[in-house]
Amino acid sequence: MAELQSVEAALAALLHGVAPTPPESLSCDAAAGRVLAEAIEARLDVPAFDNSAMDGYALHHRDAGKRLPVAQRIAAGSPAAPLAPGTCARIFTGGEIPPGADCVVMQERVEVVADLAAIPPDIPAGDNVRRRGRDVTAGAPLLPAGERLEAAALGHLAGQGITEVVVRRRPRVALLSTGDEIVDPGQPLAAGQIYNSNRPMLRRLLERFGAELTLITSIPDDPAGTRETLSAAAQEADLVISTGGVSVGEEDHVKAALASLGQLDLWRLAIRPGKPLALGRLPGREGREVRFVGLPGNPVSCFVGAWLFLRPLLGALQGCPALAQLPCLRARAGFSTQTGPRRHYMRVMLEFGEDGVLARAFRDQNSGVLSSCISADALAVVPAQSRIEPGDPVDCLWLRVE
Ligand code: AMP
Ligand code: MG
C-alpha cells in the first residue's frame, strides 16, 4: 500500500496554476461579498475638513481660560465663518472647525453666563478636532486588490463617493452527487437508501466561500451518462465538484470518465476524517481547463474536505488571500487524544475565558457523526503520531468566519 500523502501536497497540486475568474464591473450595492479585482486609490480626504468630535465650543487654544462671546453656531452640514480672536463658536459633532479655531471644549466643561462662555484653562491645540485626512488621504491606497467587500470596506467606498467597482466574477461551480443509495429530500426512501446531506451542506459552504452554483445534479450510474454529465458541467463551470465514490479500488464511473475526458489523480491523505480525495482537470469551453474535486461521500469527511480544500480553491479563484488562508487560532486542549499515522481534525467547541481559549472536543469524533459539525466552532488539528493531554496547546481552524 502506497504511503499516505499530506494535505499540503494535495493543496499545492490543487492550487497549482489556478487563475482568478475574469473581472466585471458592478455597482457597490451589488458588490457586497465580492472580491476587488483591482486596487482602489482614494479620491477624497476623509474627513474632508477639520471637524468637531464633540458637542461644545470651538476656539483658538490661546483663548483657553477666558470668558468668550459666542460668535456663531456651527451645526454639522452647515459652513463655518472665520472666527475672530477672542471669540468662540458653539459647535456640534461633525461641524466644520472655523478658520481661526484649533480646538474644541466639550459642552459639559463650559458654563455660559450672560452670553459669555467660561472656557477652562490649558486646552491643547487639536483637542477634540478630527483632522482632515486623518482616516484617508486623497491619492493614497484605499483598498487593495483581493479585498473582500464586507461591511467596513463598503462603508469606506461610500465615504469616497464611489458607486462602481471592478470585482471578480463569482466562480461558477457545478455540484454533483454520486451514489445509488442517495435520494433527494422530498422523495420516498426505499430500503437501504439515504437522503442527500452533502448537497445542501456543500451548497451553503460554497456560497459562503463566494461561489455561484450553476449546476446541481446527480451523476447517473452508467458510464455514458457520467461522461456526459461531467463534460456538460465543465462547459458552464469554473469548478466541478462531486461527492462520493473516490475511495481507492471502488467501482465507480466517475474515475473512468474523468481519466478519459481529462486527468485524474487519486489521493490518499494522511488525515482523519477525509482520507480519499480526487483531484482532476476537465476540458472546458474555449480550451479552458476546469478543476475537478471529488470529495468523499461521508458527510463529515465532506465537510472537513470542503474547509481544507474548497475554501482555499475558491479563494484562489477569486484572488482573495483572506479566503485562501484558513483562519487559525491557538487554544488549550480540553481533551486528551492520541494519533497514529494520520493527522486528526477534531470537531471542537471554543470557550473564550480569562486565561485564554479552551477547545472542548465533541463527545463523538466518529466520521459518521454529522452532528459533531453543527456545534463545532473549529477543527482542532492534532498532528500525526502525537499525544495531546488536557492543557496542551492545539491549533484550531476556526469555522465560524467567512
Ligand atoms: P462513498 O465515498 O461513496 O464511499 O460514501 C461514503 C459514505 O457516505 C457512504 O455511507 C455513503 O452512503 C455516504 N454518502 C455518500 N454520499 C452522500 C450524500 N450525498 N449524503 C449523505 N451521505 C452520503
Ligand atoms: Mg458511493
Side-chain angles (χ1 to χ4, degrees):
M1 197 43 92
E3 283 264 304
L4 294 177
Q5 295 150 302
S6 73
V7 167
E8 289 70 24
L11 196 56
L14 173 63
L15 299 183
H16 181 75
V18 171
T21 55
E24 62 183 357
S25 186
L26 280 188
S27 76
C28 287
D29 286 342
R34 294 294 198 94
V35 176
L36 282 180
E38 34 189 65
I40 296 182
E41 201 171 86
R43 307 168 176 176
L44 306 175
D45 286 339
V46 178
F49 47 87
D50 290 358
N51 70 89
S52 177
M54 293 279 174
D55 291 341
Y57 295 82
L59 60 141
H60 195 282
H61 74 280
R62 272 191 315 260
D63 290 329
K66 300 179 187 163
R67 291 178 180 276
L68 305 176
V70 182
Q72 59 175 316
R73 186 178 186 279
I74 307 164
S78 55
L83 190 71
T87 70
C88 68
R90 180 77 170 113
I91 196 165
F92 298 91
T93 304
E96 185 182 3
I97 304 291
D102 66 1
C103 63
V104 172
V105 186
M106 65 196 288
Q107 61 190 22
E108 290 81 349
R109 298 183 63 200
V110 176
E111 207 185 336
V112 183
V113 180
D115 285 345
L116 290 178
I119 307 292
D122 299 328
I123 308 296
D127 218 24
N128 295 319
V129 174
R130 300 176 181 145
R131 280 259 165 249
R132 172 178 184 159
R134 177 179 178 166
D135 186 5
V136 178
T137 315
L142 185 76
L143 293 169
E147 179 78 26
R148 204 171 189 203
L149 297 177
E150 295 303 346
L154 289 165
H156 222 36
L157 288 171
Q160 292 288 312
I162 292 173
T163 55
E164 282 218 350
V165 280
V166 180
V167 292
R168 293 288 164 198
R169 173 167 68 56
R170 286 170 71 193
R172 296 175 182 150
V173 176
L175 180 55
L176 313 174
S177 310
T178 72
D180 286 349
E181 74 283 23
I182 308 302
V183 176
D184 289 333
Q187 304 297 311
L189 274 187
Q193 293 184 321
I194 58 170
Y195 283 122
N196 191 341
S197 296
N198 290 339
R199 179 179 287 170
M201 184 173 74
L202 284 184
R203 183 177 182 165
R204 173 71 184 138
L205 281 173
L206 286 162
E207 283 171 354
R208 274 178 67 188
F209 302 156
E212 178 188 359
L213 280 291
T214 49
L215 176 68
I216 300 178
T217 189
S218 297
I219 294 182
D221 193 32
D222 64 89
T226 301
R227 241 184 102 95
E228 223 165 84
T229 306
L230 284 171
S231 173
Q235 297 311 301
E236 300 305 324
D238 302 306
L239 168 63
V240 177
I241 296 169
S242 77
T243 63
V246 289
S247 304
V248 175
E250 197 173 326
E251 200 47 54
D252 178 30
H253 306 303
V254 174
K255 273 181 264 172
L258 258 156
S260 76
L261 284 168
Q263 179 203 325
L264 182 70
D265 291 315
L266 291 176
W267 293 71
R268 291 174 63 251
L269 303 177
I271 63 173
R272 186 158 70 95
K275 182 168 74 171
L277 179 76
L279 300 181
R281 292 165 196 226
L282 283 163
R285 200 179 272 162
E286 289 154 10
R288 282 184 316 128
E289 215 177 39
V290 173
R291 302 288 157 142
F292 170 87
V293 178
L295 293 172
N298 183 308
V300 176
S301 306
C302 197
F303 181 89
V304 171
W307 199 260
L308 297 183
F309 296 102
L310 298 186
R311 192 186 138 122
L313 179 55
L314 267 296
L317 282 167
Q318 293 169 91
C320 179
L323 202 56
Q325 189 78 37
L326 298 180
C328 183
L329 60 85
R330 178 150 286 202
R332 276 176 301 117
F335 55 86
S336 59
T337 192
Q338 189 163 8
T339 53
R342 293 198 265 157
R343 179 191 292 172
H344 193 174
Y345 291 92
M346 295 177 69
R347 277 77 70 208
V348 297
M349 283 77 74
L350 299 178
E351 280 177 27
F352 294 83
E354 271 170 20
D355 48 351
V357 189
L358 183 68
R360 288 197 186 282
F362 190 81
R363 60 184 157 73
D364 189 348
Q365 293 288 329
N366 187 280
S367 64
V369 178
L370 187 58
S371 46
S372 65
C373 296
I374 296 174
S375 46
D377 299 311
L379 299 172
V381 185
V382 182
Q385 312 291 6
S386 67
R387 189 187 188 92
I388 298 271
E389 298 296 347
D392 286 349
V394 63
D395 283 334
C396 294
L397 301 177
W398 205 357
L399 299 169
R400 300 268 185 226
V401 286
E402 289 306 307

PDB file of all heavy atoms in Angstrom, residues 14 239-243 277-280 291-295 309-310 313:
ATOM      1  N   LEU A  14      -3.595  21.054  -6.067  1.00  0.00           N
ATOM      2  CA  LEU A  14      -4.907  21.608  -6.409  1.00  0.00           C
ATOM      3  C   LEU A  14      -4.797  23.064  -6.859  1.00  0.00           C
ATOM      4  O   LEU A  14      -5.443  23.481  -7.827  1.00  0.00           O
ATOM      5  CB  LEU A  14      -5.827  21.518  -5.184  1.00  0.00           C
ATOM      6  CG  LEU A  14      -7.190  22.190  -5.287  1.00  0.00           C
ATOM      7  CD1 LEU A  14      -8.029  21.539  -6.378  1.00  0.00           C
ATOM      8  CD2 LEU A  14      -7.938  22.109  -3.957  1.00  0.00           C
ATOM      9  N   LEU A 239     -15.416  25.252 -11.907  1.00  0.00           N
ATOM     10  CA  LEU A 239     -15.020  24.195 -10.979  1.00  0.00           C
ATOM     11  C   LEU A 239     -16.135  23.151 -10.918  1.00  0.00           C
ATOM     12  O   LEU A 239     -17.306  23.516 -10.820  1.00  0.00           O
ATOM     13  CB  LEU A 239     -14.795  24.815  -9.586  1.00  0.00           C
ATOM     14  CG  LEU A 239     -14.651  23.898  -8.382  1.00  0.00           C
ATOM     15  CD1 LEU A 239     -13.416  23.015  -8.519  1.00  0.00           C
ATOM     16  CD2 LEU A 239     -14.563  24.727  -7.100  1.00  0.00           C
ATOM     17  N   VAL A 240     -15.737  21.883 -10.998  1.00  0.00           N
ATOM     18  CA  VAL A 240     -16.711  20.795 -10.886  1.00  0.00           C
ATOM     19  C   VAL A 240     -16.391  20.012  -9.622  1.00  0.00           C
ATOM     20  O   VAL A 240     -15.244  19.617  -9.401  1.00  0.00           O
ATOM     21  CB  VAL A 240     -16.655  19.864 -12.119  1.00  0.00           C
ATOM     22  CG1 VAL A 240     -17.619  18.686 -11.949  1.00  0.00           C
ATOM     23  CG2 VAL A 240     -16.971  20.643 -13.393  1.00  0.00           C
ATOM     24  N   ILE A 241     -17.409  19.846  -8.800  1.00  0.00           N
ATOM     25  CA  ILE A 241     -17.216  19.134  -7.530  1.00  0.00           C
ATOM     26  C   ILE A 241     -18.162  17.938  -7.508  1.00  0.00           C
ATOM     27  O   ILE A 241     -19.330  18.054  -7.888  1.00  0.00           O
ATOM     28  CB  ILE A 241     -17.540  20.058  -6.338  1.00  0.00           C
ATOM     29  CG1 ILE A 241     -16.552  21.224  -6.291  1.00  0.00           C
ATOM     30  CG2 ILE A 241     -17.502  19.287  -5.020  1.00  0.00           C
ATOM     31  CD1 ILE A 241     -16.955  22.316  -5.326  1.00  0.00           C
ATOM     32  N   SER A 242     -17.644  16.795  -7.057  1.00  0.00           N
ATOM     33  CA  SER A 242     -18.544  15.667  -6.838  1.00  0.00           C
ATOM     34  C   SER A 242     -18.337  15.151  -5.423  1.00  0.00           C
ATOM     35  O   SER A 242     -17.318  15.434  -4.783  1.00  0.00           O
ATOM     36  CB  SER A 242     -18.297  14.547  -7.848  1.00  0.00           C
ATOM     37  OG  SER A 242     -17.137  13.828  -7.492  1.00  0.00           O
ATOM     38  N   THR A 243     -19.325  14.445  -4.938  1.00  0.00           N
ATOM     39  CA  THR A 243     -19.174  13.803  -3.628  1.00  0.00           C
ATOM     40  C   THR A 243     -19.395  12.310  -3.791  1.00  0.00           C
ATOM     41  O   THR A 243     -20.223  11.873  -4.584  1.00  0.00           O
ATOM     42  CB  THR A 243     -20.190  14.331  -2.604  1.00  0.00           C
ATOM     43  OG1 THR A 243     -21.508  14.014  -3.058  1.00  0.00           O
ATOM     44  CG2 THR A 243     -20.071  15.824  -2.426  1.00  0.00           C
ATOM     45  N   LEU A 277      -9.394  11.615  -1.643  1.00  0.00           N
ATOM     46  CA  LEU A 277      -9.669  12.881  -2.328  1.00  0.00           C
ATOM     47  C   LEU A 277      -9.285  12.680  -3.791  1.00  0.00           C
ATOM     48  O   LEU A 277      -8.243  12.107  -4.082  1.00  0.00           O
ATOM     49  CB  LEU A 277      -8.825  14.001  -1.714  1.00  0.00           C
ATOM     50  CG  LEU A 277      -8.986  15.380  -2.338  1.00  0.00           C
ATOM     51  CD1 LEU A 277     -10.298  16.024  -1.896  1.00  0.00           C
ATOM     52  CD2 LEU A 277      -7.816  16.298  -1.948  1.00  0.00           C
ATOM     53  N   ALA A 278     -10.137  13.129  -4.677  1.00  0.00           N
ATOM     54  CA  ALA A 278      -9.809  13.039  -6.103  1.00  0.00           C
ATOM     55  C   ALA A 278      -9.628  14.443  -6.648  1.00  0.00           C
ATOM     56  O   ALA A 278     -10.461  15.318  -6.413  1.00  0.00           O
ATOM     57  CB  ALA A 278     -10.927  12.325  -6.861  1.00  0.00           C
ATOM     58  N   LEU A 279      -8.523  14.671  -7.328  1.00  0.00           N
ATOM     59  CA  LEU A 279      -8.265  15.975  -7.949  1.00  0.00           C
ATOM     60  C   LEU A 279      -8.064  15.756  -9.441  1.00  0.00           C
ATOM     61  O   LEU A 279      -7.316  14.858  -9.836  1.00  0.00           O
ATOM     62  CB  LEU A 279      -7.011  16.620  -7.363  1.00  0.00           C
ATOM     63  CG  LEU A 279      -7.014  16.886  -5.859  1.00  0.00           C
ATOM     64  CD1 LEU A 279      -5.713  17.552  -5.456  1.00  0.00           C
ATOM     65  CD2 LEU A 279      -8.208  17.741  -5.465  1.00  0.00           C
ATOM     66  N   GLY A 280      -8.725  16.551 -10.248  1.00  0.00           N
ATOM     67  CA  GLY A 280      -8.573  16.340 -11.684  1.00  0.00           C
ATOM     68  C   GLY A 280      -8.798  17.601 -12.474  1.00  0.00           C
ATOM     69  O   GLY A 280      -9.007  18.686 -11.928  1.00  0.00           O
ATOM     70  N   ARG A 291     -11.128  22.795 -13.113  1.00  0.00           N
ATOM     71  CA  ARG A 291     -10.720  21.935 -11.992  1.00  0.00           C
ATOM     72  C   ARG A 291     -11.843  21.011 -11.570  1.00  0.00           C
ATOM     73  O   ARG A 291     -13.012  21.411 -11.568  1.00  0.00           O
ATOM     74  CB  ARG A 291     -10.325  22.777 -10.778  1.00  0.00           C
ATOM     75  CG  ARG A 291      -9.210  23.741 -11.028  1.00  0.00           C
ATOM     76  CD  ARG A 291      -7.915  23.007 -11.175  1.00  0.00           C
ATOM     77  NE  ARG A 291      -6.992  23.850 -11.922  1.00  0.00           N
ATOM     78  CZ  ARG A 291      -5.695  23.924 -11.657  1.00  0.00           C
ATOM     79  NH1 ARG A 291      -5.164  23.195 -10.705  1.00  0.00           N
ATOM     80  NH2 ARG A 291      -4.918  24.697 -12.376  1.00  0.00           N
ATOM     81  N   PHE A 292     -11.425  19.814 -11.177  1.00  0.00           N
ATOM     82  CA  PHE A 292     -12.379  18.857 -10.616  1.00  0.00           C
ATOM     83  C   PHE A 292     -11.896  18.460  -9.222  1.00  0.00           C
ATOM     84  O   PHE A 292     -10.718  18.172  -9.019  1.00  0.00           O
ATOM     85  CB  PHE A 292     -12.461  17.611 -11.508  1.00  0.00           C
ATOM     86  CG  PHE A 292     -13.245  16.487 -10.873  1.00  0.00           C
ATOM     87  CD1 PHE A 292     -14.625  16.425 -11.017  1.00  0.00           C
ATOM     88  CD2 PHE A 292     -12.604  15.513 -10.119  1.00  0.00           C
ATOM     89  CE1 PHE A 292     -15.354  15.411 -10.419  1.00  0.00           C
ATOM     90  CE2 PHE A 292     -13.328  14.498  -9.509  1.00  0.00           C
ATOM     91  CZ  PHE A 292     -14.706  14.445  -9.664  1.00  0.00           C
ATOM     92  N   VAL A 293     -12.819  18.480  -8.264  1.00  0.00           N
ATOM     93  CA  VAL A 293     -12.506  17.993  -6.914  1.00  0.00           C
ATOM     94  C   VAL A 293     -13.557  16.961  -6.528  1.00  0.00           C
ATOM     95  O   VAL A 293     -14.756  17.263  -6.537  1.00  0.00           O
ATOM     96  CB  VAL A 293     -12.515  19.139  -5.874  1.00  0.00           C
ATOM     97  CG1 VAL A 293     -12.230  18.592  -4.469  1.00  0.00           C
ATOM     98  CG2 VAL A 293     -11.495  20.209  -6.223  1.00  0.00           C
ATOM     99  N   GLY A 294     -13.106  15.762  -6.217  1.00  0.00           N
ATOM    100  CA  GLY A 294     -14.019  14.714  -5.756  1.00  0.00           C
ATOM    101  C   GLY A 294     -13.838  14.524  -4.262  1.00  0.00           C
ATOM    102  O   GLY A 294     -12.791  14.074  -3.799  1.00  0.00           O
ATOM    103  N   LEU A 295     -14.852  14.915  -3.503  1.00  0.00           N
ATOM    104  CA  LEU A 295     -14.775  14.779  -2.037  1.00  0.00           C
ATOM    105  C   LEU A 295     -15.371  13.440  -1.626  1.00  0.00           C
ATOM    106  O   LEU A 295     -16.234  12.897  -2.321  1.00  0.00           O
ATOM    107  CB  LEU A 295     -15.557  15.912  -1.371  1.00  0.00           C
ATOM    108  CG  LEU A 295     -14.991  17.319  -1.540  1.00  0.00           C
ATOM    109  CD1 LEU A 295     -15.974  18.351  -0.997  1.00  0.00           C
ATOM    110  CD2 LEU A 295     -13.646  17.455  -0.834  1.00  0.00           C
ATOM    111  N   PHE A 309      -9.997  22.198   1.438  1.00  0.00           N
ATOM    112  CA  PHE A 309      -9.623  22.304   0.024  1.00  0.00           C
ATOM    113  C   PHE A 309     -10.478  23.285  -0.776  1.00  0.00           C
ATOM    114  O   PHE A 309      -9.957  24.035  -1.591  1.00  0.00           O
ATOM    115  CB  PHE A 309      -9.669  20.918  -0.638  1.00  0.00           C
ATOM    116  CG  PHE A 309      -8.668  19.979  -0.041  1.00  0.00           C
ATOM    117  CD1 PHE A 309      -9.051  19.009   0.880  1.00  0.00           C
ATOM    118  CD2 PHE A 309      -7.328  20.095  -0.358  1.00  0.00           C
ATOM    119  CE1 PHE A 309      -8.112  18.167   1.459  1.00  0.00           C
ATOM    120  CE2 PHE A 309      -6.379  19.261   0.216  1.00  0.00           C
ATOM    121  CZ  PHE A 309      -6.772  18.293   1.134  1.00  0.00           C
ATOM    122  N   LEU A 310     -11.791  23.279  -0.536  1.00  0.00           N
ATOM    123  CA  LEU A 310     -12.639  24.136  -1.373  1.00  0.00           C
ATOM    124  C   LEU A 310     -12.505  25.607  -0.997  1.00  0.00           C
ATOM    125  O   LEU A 310     -12.526  26.484  -1.856  1.00  0.00           O
ATOM    126  CB  LEU A 310     -14.108  23.695  -1.299  1.00  0.00           C
ATOM    127  CG  LEU A 310     -14.389  22.279  -1.804  1.00  0.00           C
ATOM    128  CD1 LEU A 310     -15.888  22.014  -1.806  1.00  0.00           C
ATOM    129  CD2 LEU A 310     -13.801  22.049  -3.198  1.00  0.00           C
ATOM    130  N   LEU A 313      -9.385  26.925  -2.552  1.00  0.00           N
ATOM    131  CA  LEU A 313      -9.547  26.948  -4.011  1.00  0.00           C
ATOM    132  C   LEU A 313     -10.454  28.102  -4.431  1.00  0.00           C
ATOM    133  O   LEU A 313     -10.153  28.824  -5.385  1.00  0.00           O
ATOM    134  CB  LEU A 313     -10.115  25.604  -4.493  1.00  0.00           C
ATOM    135  CG  LEU A 313     -10.359  25.481  -5.995  1.00  0.00           C
ATOM    136  CD1 LEU A 313      -9.094  25.784  -6.796  1.00  0.00           C
ATOM    137  CD2 LEU A 313     -10.874  24.081  -6.337  1.00  0.00           C
TER     138      LEU A 313
END
